Amino acid sequence: MVPDFEKAKKMAQNSRTSVSAEVFGKYNARGMYQPTVIKKSEAVKSKIRSRLQQSFMFNGLDEKEMEVVIDAMDEKRTTKGTNIIIQGERGNELYVVEEGELDCFKKFAEGEEPKYLKTYQPGEAFGELALLYNAPRAATITSNGDCLLWVLDRNTFNFIVKDAAARKREKYEQFLKSVPLLSSMDHYERSKLSDAIKEQVFEPEEYIIKEGETGTVFYMLVDGEAVATKSFEPGKPAQEVKQYKAGDYFGELALLKNEPRAANVIAKTKLKVVSLERNSFKRLLGPLDDILKRNMDSYINYLK
């Protein structure tokens, strides 16, 4: 779980230095890394791959890196009431949920009862912040039944996952900076969003957004063209209302409000987008409203 926002920002200010010291220091050179291989069947590997593809933490990996991570992952089974991570302790593993659910609790002040924050579902990952920032666990996560987890060790995370995340961050930070909706964000915030965004490819005539569906994903067009259509009268064909090109974005209200989509967005050519899911945004940075309030005059309409 994410620590307090300002605390996380302070940790991130020195993260490049601390990461370099831990991963590529004098006694831990890249060449010294020996991949961990835990034998498993192809069926189990396929199951792990499917789960990793659901988590934004791993979507910067190339095929070879994905194989290394899959080989390194170990299985952990838990029963109801088991604390997987405990707030304040040192963390050396990242977890991906395969089966079951786990509840996350955080104590915000000494003497207070822990507060329930969320429930982790299959496909979700947790425990990454302790590895990214060499920080104590920011919350306690407890099995609320029998669970099956995939566990990744600190070394593999540092040498493979963190490296891939850094490349992805470098690739997309400048792009995010060019998006007007996100222009008030600082470097740290854009860095965190770069970790969370996912790349997707759509073929011509394929729907990216469908009118009337509940919106939970925000899209930024990286390459190609798309068109928006909208139905103005029941029973009549939707009409074109807008065209999109590389650098444009759509679905932004999904980050603010859980509302039905106001129009269709359809690929006009083969295109690539990066997408950001509403819950991932809130988990990393909190409500978008607070960020937009920094440049209220520009985005007042989004807050209505």
Side-chain angles (χ1 to χ4, degrees), residues 22-39:
E22 179 175 0
V23 182
F24 304 121
K26 179 179 178 181
Y27 301 106
N28 198 19
R30 178 185 287 276
M32 295 171 63
Y33 172 65
Q34 294 296 320
T36 299
V37 178
I38 297 173
K39 290 186 178 180

Side-chain angles (χ1 to χ4, degrees), residues 133-145:
Y133 302 120
N134 299 319
R137 297 296 195 186
T140 297
I141 298 181
T142 306
S143 303
N144 62 19

Side-chain angles (χ1 to χ4, degrees), residues 18-195:
S18 62
V19 167
S20 296
E22 179 175 0
V23 182
F24 304 121
K26 179 179 178 181
Y27 301 106
N28 198 19
R30 178 185 287 276
M32 295 171 63
Y33 172 65
Q34 294 296 320
T36 299
V37 178
I38 297 173
K39 290 186 178 180
K40 47 184 73 74
S41 69
E42 289 303 317
V44 170
K45 287 184 178 183
S46 178
K47 186 182 290 188
I48 296 174
R49 180 186 299 277
S50 177
R51 288 305 185 197
L52 296 186
Q53 289 171 341
Q54 292 177 258
S55 173
F56 70 77
M57 178 56 58
F58 301 96
N59 62 30
L61 300 177
D62 62 26
E63 184 57 32
K64 186 176 180 180
E65 291 165 336
M66 180 69 81
E67 288 296 330
V68 173
V69 170
I70 291 171
D71 282 342
M73 284 196 138
D74 203 358
E75 175 185 293
K76 182 179 180 69
R77 294 186 178 272
T78 68
T79 56
K80 183 178 177 62
T82 303
N83 288 330
I84 309 304
I85 65 177
I86 297 175
Q87 184 174 347
E89 291 188 349
R90 173 180 169 81
N92 289 307
E93 299 89 14
L94 173 147
Y95 300 88
V96 179
V97 185
E98 174 61 34
E99 298 173 5
E101 297 181 346
L102 303 98
D103 293 329
C104 178
F105 299 89
K106 182 176 177 65
K107 184 182 290 188
F108 288 92
E110 194 65 35
E112 288 187 1
E113 288 296 313
K115 180 181 178 182
Y116 167 80
L117 297 180
K118 67 163 291 179
T119 296
Y120 283 94
Q121 308 282 346
E124 292 190 275
F126 60 87
E128 73 278 7
L129 285 178
L131 306 186
L132 282 169
Y133 302 120
N134 299 319
R137 297 296 195 186
T140 297
I141 298 181
T142 306
S143 303
N144 62 19
D146 291 343
C147 294
L148 170 59
L149 308 172
W150 303 117
V151 187
L152 187 66
D153 64 279
R154 175 182 286 271
N155 277 351
T156 305
F157 179 86
N158 280 335
F159 279 92
I160 306 298
V161 182
K162 191 181 287 186
D163 257 12
R167 293 196 306 271
K168 181 183 173 191
R169 193 177 301 131
E170 185 176 351
K171 180 179 179 181
Y172 282 114
E173 270 194 74
Q174 196 60 35
F175 177 79
L176 291 174
K177 193 174 182 179
S178 72
V179 177
L181 181 68
L182 307 176
S183 63
S184 68
M185 288 184 173
D186 61 26
H187 171 75
Y188 168 78
E189 292 165 335
R190 281 193 296 272
S191 174
K192 293 304 294 176
L193 284 198
S194 296
D195 291 340

Side-chain angles (χ1 to χ4, degrees), residues 253-267:
L253 288 179
L255 296 184
L256 285 167
K257 303 175 182 178
N258 195 18
E259 292 184 345
R261 299 293 195 184
N264 304 301
V265 178
I266 308 165

